[in-house]
């Protein structure tokens, strides 16, 4: 068994290949790596390999890496962003500046379809990346995630403390709902507009894929056709690892 691990700013996800085929991934808060190791991984059968993607600095992973070595005698294979891989061409001027999670999501998207694609990752930040039918990453935008959007208004202004609202009403009649709805509207409009621009550029239909912890919430508000794929980064890690093992 190989183990695939995706460490984000807010959450950690892990799964085996069999888990991913069944659409299953385990997850926990990334601020509590110690509890994850003790509570979840201690009784796990020793994997053959561990493939790891992380947006955190390596120094913040020392506990995790040390634990793997002590208990499994394994060092993780760290995912990296590359200029070109598996039919995807990195669109950044400095390719390594593109987050590894965004790169893996693009690899997964390319493995699923040859259509132009918009990949939306809804996490601490919301990233929207575009890729054409030739696998060329056209670039993308980075927005505050929905929770950061709300906090930027309540923490950066003289607004009194507010109870967070989960209500989406674009004609809101109270401040908390107005902030929540404004954050959602900005995100929805960005996704819809980016999708339309790629559609016009490519003169063909565009696949829109949503991933990340808040993908389900965004899905409820989008008009454009889309698919929710919560484990897209892990699937990209699986695709990248499979290619390494074949070469």
């Amino acid at each position: 068994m190989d183990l695939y691990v995706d460490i984000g700013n807010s959450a950690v996800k892990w799964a085996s290949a069999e888990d991913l085929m069944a659409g299953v991934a385990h997850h926990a808060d990334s601020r509590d790596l110690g509890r994850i190791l003790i509570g979840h991984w201690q009784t796990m059968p020793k994997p053959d390999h561990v493939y790891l993607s992380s947006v955190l600095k390596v120094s913040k992973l020392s506990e995790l890496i040390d634990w793997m070595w002590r208990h499994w005698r394994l060092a993780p294979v760290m995912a990296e962003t590359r200029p070109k891989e598996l039919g995807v061409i990195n669109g950044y001027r400095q390719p390594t500046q593109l987050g590894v999670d965004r790169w893996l999501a693009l690899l997964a998207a390319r493995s699923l379809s040859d259509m132009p694609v918009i990949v939306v990752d809804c996490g601490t930040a919301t990233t929207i990346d575009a890729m054409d039918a030739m696998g060329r990453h056209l670039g993308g935008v980075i927005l505050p995630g929905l929770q950061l959007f709300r906090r930027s208004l309540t923490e950066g202004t003289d607004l009194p403390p507010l109870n967070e609202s989960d209500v989406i009403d674009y004609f809101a009649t109270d401040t908390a709902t107005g902030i929540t709805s404004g954050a959602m509207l900005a995100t929805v409009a960005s996704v819809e507009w980016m999708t339309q621009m790629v559609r016009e550029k490519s003169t063909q239909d565009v696949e829109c894929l949503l991933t990340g912890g808040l993908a389900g919430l965004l899905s409820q508000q989008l008009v454009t056709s889309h698919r929710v794929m919560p484990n897209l980064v892990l699937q990209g890690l699986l695709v990248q690892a499979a290619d390494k093992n074949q070469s």
Side-chain angles (χ1 to χ4, degrees):
M1 177 198 75
D2 289 339
L3 181 64
Y4 304 91
V5 185
D6 169 29
I7 301 178
N9 287 302
S10 302
V12 181
K13 291 184 177 181
W14 66 93
S16 66
E18 292 75 16
D19 288 334
L20 291 174
M21 289 179 62
V24 173
H26 311 279
H27 58 86
D29 194 312
S30 62
R31 293 171 297 184
D32 200 6
L33 286 177
R35 187 179 63 83
I36 293 171
L37 300 179
I38 295 170
H40 295 282
W41 289 18
Q42 193 115 26
T43 58
M44 183 187 300
K46 177 182 177 297
D48 298 314
H49 305 90
V50 177
Y51 297 95
L52 193 150
S53 164
S54 176
V55 301
L56 304 181
K57 294 180 180 179
V58 174
S59 60
K60 294 185 177 182
L61 302 178
S62 58
E63 179 184 7
L64 177 68
I65 293 172
D66 290 346
W67 188 93
M68 288 183 189
W69 183 252
R70 289 198 313 272
H71 289 263
W72 292 337
R73 285 294 184 264
L74 284 177
V77 180
M78 303 294 295
E80 297 177 345
T81 302
R82 295 187 170 88
K84 182 178 180 180
E85 185 177 17
L86 295 169
V88 179
I89 302 170
N90 194 321
Y92 263 34
R93 294 188 182 93
Q94 297 183 35
T96 56
Q97 284 189 353
L98 180 67
V100 68
D101 52 342
R102 294 168 66 188
W103 179 246
L104 292 172
L106 288 167
L107 295 184
R110 187 62 178 173
S111 73
L112 294 170
S113 172
D114 290 336
M115 293 173 58
V117 66
I118 291 287
V119 178
V120 185
D121 193 338
C122 313
T124 303
T126 298
T127 58
I128 309 172
D129 284 288
M131 182 166 59
D132 67 15
M134 301 299 292
R136 293 175 296 204
H137 174 224
L138 304 176
V141 298
I142 304 171
L143 307 173
L146 294 172
Q147 293 176 347
L148 280 180
F149 251 124
R150 294 190 292 197
R151 287 205 298 269
S152 68
L153 284 174
T154 56
E155 294 178 3
T157 68
D158 290 330
L159 286 171
L162 300 170
N163 294 323
E164 287 193 355
S165 172
D166 292 325
V167 176
I168 302 297
D169 183 349
Y170 298 130
F171 297 94
T173 54
D174 67 89
T175 303
T177 301
I179 290 173
T180 296
S181 303
M184 179 60 77
L185 183 59
T187 304
V188 167
S190 298
V191 174
E192 298 280 5
W193 186 246
M194 289 282 286
T195 303
Q196 181 60 30
M197 286 194 292
V198 175
R199 187 176 290 120
E200 292 175 358
K201 183 186 289 284
S202 62
T203 65
Q204 65 183 105
D205 203 7
V206 177
E207 177 98 75
C208 180
L209 303 178
L210 309 185
T211 193
L214 297 175
L217 188 60
L218 178 61
S219 174
Q220 297 173 22
Q221 302 296 320
L222 282 180
V223 174
T224 194
S225 176
H226 61 277
R227 286 194 284 167
V228 177
M229 305 194 70
N231 304 318
L232 200 61
V233 175
L234 283 176
Q235 290 170 337
L237 195 57
L238 174 64
V239 168
Q240 188 181 68
D243 182 66
K244 285 181 181 178
N245 291 335
Q246 290 175 2
S247 58

